[in-house]
Amino acid sequence: MSKRATGRAGSVTEQRLGAATPLRGLLNKVFPDHWSFLLGEIMLYSFVALAVTGVVLALFFDPSARDAVYDGSYAPLRGTHMSAAYASTVDISFDVRGGLLMRQMHHWAALLFIAACIGYLLRVFFTGAFRRPRRLKWTAGLLVFWIGVATSYTGYMMLDDGMSGTGMQILQGILLSIPVVGTWLASSIFGGEFPGDVIIGRLYLLHVLLLPALLVVLLSVLIGLRLRLRPARWRGARGGVRFFPQYTIRQGGLLVFVFAVVALLGGLFGINPVWIFGPARAADVSALSQPAWYVMFLDGAVRLMPPWELTIPIGAGYTVPPIFWAAVVLPGLLVALPMAYPRIEARVRRDHRVHHLLDRPRDAPGRTALGAMAVTFYLVLTAAGAADAIALTFNISTNALTWAGRIGLVVLPPLAYRVTHRICLGLQQHDRQVLAHGVETGIIRRLPDGGFTELHQPLATPYAGLPVPKKTNHLGPVAPAPRPLDRHRKAA
């Protein structure tokens, strides 16, 4: 076929289908070139690492609660009765070539995924990137975080070691604390009396199939919205990188880098040594058992909750234990409030416009202070979750740490709000001083009357809404600074 015929066929196909125009627009799309936008990509690529290592582990894991006698390479457990799930986990760690590396890479990738997701959400919140037209991205990002936490928790519990057995008992206690339907929920999920023999298979189904499928859908929504919407930019930012080839090449390099970091962590730093904890037994609780760092706030909330019980006068009466407020109501509020915040802020500020420019945190002091207050609340609960380890390490009374956490939970978040708000206002005031008087040059001149003054370099360009330069080497084209003598003569 000649080149002319090929070109004619391509032209006819383009006229009929119109596929080249959107593809050309995608390839020419320009993305911002700023490090903070990498957090979403790191979250995506750590999920890819999770999927790859998870598929390898699924080939050797036995999601069964049937009784088995371990006869593998780890001598201290040889001859011990345990579940088939725990036995297969120990076999993966010691008898499968590369199995321990895959397990540890999977665990480190999970931690990196949650950390990148938290960083992404904080960046979106503090810069105001959740406003129209990106409210759906904010909601999808929050759902990715909470479903990621649930996926991690199910994977942690289905190993059936001594540590995850403690987590299983905590889950049963949370379910039983729900009024009216708690007993039915616990019996249905565990398949009868705790711990039952079906829970591991159900957790496996959630961890391997259902929850990852939801994450794939939500991450696809985030990617699609990013490609469809106009990229959000910092004020004054110029240029960027085209989707092809610069952005594509950079993302390929970042994917390889994330895999390399996960492999390095998995190969050099041990994590979750399940063979030390032994098999799970309903009568045993592991000493100093701690959840993962991103859900330790839930443990801290349970520890700090006062022993207040509420009786509902229905029938013979239903007693609502304190764990219900800390482990059911509080997570529900933490899910609902952030999702509703974009609409709340838009209604309070009466701002329903479309925003494509990001805010500096100092330019929205109320929002930044609220974020600092929420982060402080989370950190206090996280520290309370490690109270037993802190008490044992530093020989401090656990009761004293509990009361310190309760007082800190009441005092520190409002204090963080006040301090952050004042810092933002102070930074705004400093920006106004620079705009009014210019940038400090460090040059001191003596005036004819014997006084001293510092020369300021005036700003020649307007900086409305842009980052204000603080040093002379940050200035663009500027006008010459007036000499002290000329200024003195003009004043005279």
Side-chain angles (χ1 to χ4, degrees), residues 149-150 152-158 162-178 181-192 194-196 198-200 202-204 206 211 285 289 291 295 298-299 302 321 323-324 327-328 331:
V149 170
S152 173
Y153 191 65
T154 55
Y156 154 79
M157 287 196 300
M158 73 181 186
M163 190 73 73
S164 62
T166 303
M168 200 89 72
Q169 295 182 45
I170 294 174
L171 174 62
Q172 186 209 22
I174 293 174
L175 293 174
L176 290 175
S177 70
I178 301 176
V181 297
T183 305
W184 174 82
L185 279 176
S187 178
S188 300
I189 291 176
F190 287 96
F194 178 85
V198 299
I199 185 63
I200 295 179
R202 293 176 177 179
L203 292 174
Y204 181 79
L206 286 172
L211 295 179
V285 177
S289 58
V295 291
L298 190 60
D299 192 8
V302 173
I323 191 176
F324 171 75
V328 179

Side-chain angles (χ1 to χ4, degrees), residues 10-24:
S11 299
V12 172
T13 303
E14 167 58 20
Q15 292 176 2
R16 298 271 181 109
L17 301 179
T21 301
L23 181 61
R24 187 181 300 113

Side-chain angles (χ1 to χ4, degrees), residues 3 18 33 68 70 73 87-88 104 137 153 164 184 319 324 361 412 419 433 463:
K3 293 183 178 179
D33 188 15
Y70 179 74
S73 301
S88 64
Q104 297 189 156
K137 285 188 66 177
Y153 191 65
S164 62
W184 174 82
T319 300
F324 171 75
L412 293 182
V419 171
Q433 291 178 357
Y463 285 91

Side-chain angles (χ1 to χ4, degrees), residues 128-341:
F130 54 82
R131 296 171 293 181
R132 294 185 60 193
R134 296 174 180 82
R135 290 177 180 174
L136 183 57
K137 285 188 66 177
W138 170 251
T139 302
L142 288 171
L143 290 176
V144 166
F145 170 73
W146 287 110
I147 294 177
V149 170
T151 307
S152 173
Y153 191 65
T154 55
Y156 154 79
M157 287 196 300
M158 73 181 186
L159 301 183
D160 204 35
D161 61 285
M163 190 73 73
S164 62
T166 303
M168 200 89 72
Q169 295 182 45
I170 294 174
L171 174 62
Q172 186 209 22
I174 293 174
L175 293 174
L176 290 175
S177 70
I178 301 176
V180 182
V181 297
T183 305
W184 174 82
L185 279 176
S187 178
S188 300
I189 291 176
F190 287 96
E193 292 293 331
F194 178 85
D197 56 359
V198 299
I199 185 63
I200 295 179
R202 293 176 177 179
L203 292 174
Y204 181 79
L205 182 64
L206 286 172
H207 182 75
V208 175
L209 182 61
L210 299 181
L211 295 179
L214 289 176
L215 287 176
V216 169
V217 171
L218 291 172
L219 290 173
S220 301
V221 169
L222 287 176
I223 295 173
L225 289 175
R226 183 170 187 185
L227 295 176
R228 181 178 180 274
L229 297 175
R230 176 182 172 184
R233 293 178 175 272
W234 295 100
R235 297 178 184 270
R238 297 180 179 178
V241 291
R242 292 178 57 188
F243 179 77
F244 186 83
Q246 294 95 335
Y247 183 79
T248 307
I249 294 175
R250 290 187 180 187
Q251 295 308 303
L254 181 61
L255 173 62
V256 174
F257 179 76
V258 169
F259 263 87
V261 170
V262 170
L264 185 67
L265 292 172
L268 298 181
F269 300 96
I271 192 169
N272 196 22
V274 294
W275 54 89
I276 296 178
F277 309 134
R281 293 187 176 89
D284 298 335
V285 177
S286 299
L288 296 179
S289 58
Q290 301 292 336
W293 61 269
Y294 44 84
V295 291
M296 196 176 290
F297 77 95
L298 190 60
D299 192 8
V302 173
R303 293 170 187 261
L304 296 184
M305 183 66 195
W308 297 337
E309 292 186 351
L310 176 66
T311 302
I312 302 177
I314 299 178
Y318 290 93
T319 300
V320 182
I323 191 176
F324 171 75
W325 309 106
V328 179
V329 175
L330 178 62
L333 293 176
L334 294 180
V335 172
L337 289 180
M339 288 189 179
Y341 182 81

